[in-house]
Amino acid sequence: MPADGRTAQPRFCAFARMICDRTGTGLPAWTCAARADDLPQLHAFADGLERDWDAVLAGLTLPWSSGPVEGHVNRIKMLKRQMYGRASLPLLRERVLLA
């Protein structure tokens, strides 16, 4: 099998469907199919998934998300960057609490 984008596309589309549908039950079969292909990049991606298997499986099956928390952290980091070297800690605190 040639190692080009046309052979990898079905695998990535199937993985994207697993993410959108939150069906982690198909993950073992997907990694086996990815390993069967002659695509080293896909093998490296599957290795990365297997290194953190429990977290990946939980992310694909559990209904909880850390998205809102990550959004708040991102907002606070942006405010901190904007005010770096310009104001004191009390003003930064006010801005974080009021923004």
Side-chain angles (χ1 to χ4, degrees):
M1 228 195 286
D4 61 7
R6 289 175 288 151
T7 56
Q9 184 179 3
R11 294 282 177 245
F12 288 118
C13 288
F15 189 76
R17 262 193 313 277
M18 272 195 295
I19 292 172
C20 291
D21 298 341
R22 299 184 71 82
T23 54
T25 54
L27 190 60
W30 185 90
T31 54
C32 287
R35 291 199 182 286
D37 290 342
D38 186 27
L39 299 166
Q41 295 86 357
L42 203 54
H43 295 177
F45 182 69
D47 288 342
L49 292 177
E50 287 180 352
R51 275 193 298 271
D52 207 7
W53 187 261
D54 292 334
V56 173
L57 198 57
L60 289 175
T61 56
L62 297 177
W64 301 290
S65 170
S66 63
V69 173
E70 293 296 330
H72 288 296
V73 168
N74 190 30
R75 179 182 60 85
I76 289 170
K77 286 182 178 181
M78 179 206 52
L79 289 171
K80 183 180 170 187
R81 276 187 228 109
Q82 286 177 344
M83 296 191 61
Y84 180 76
R86 296 186 183 160
S88 62
L89 188 58
L91 184 57
L92 176 62
R93 183 178 181 275
E94 266 316 294
R95 190 135 183 237
V96 166
L97 293 176
L98 294 176

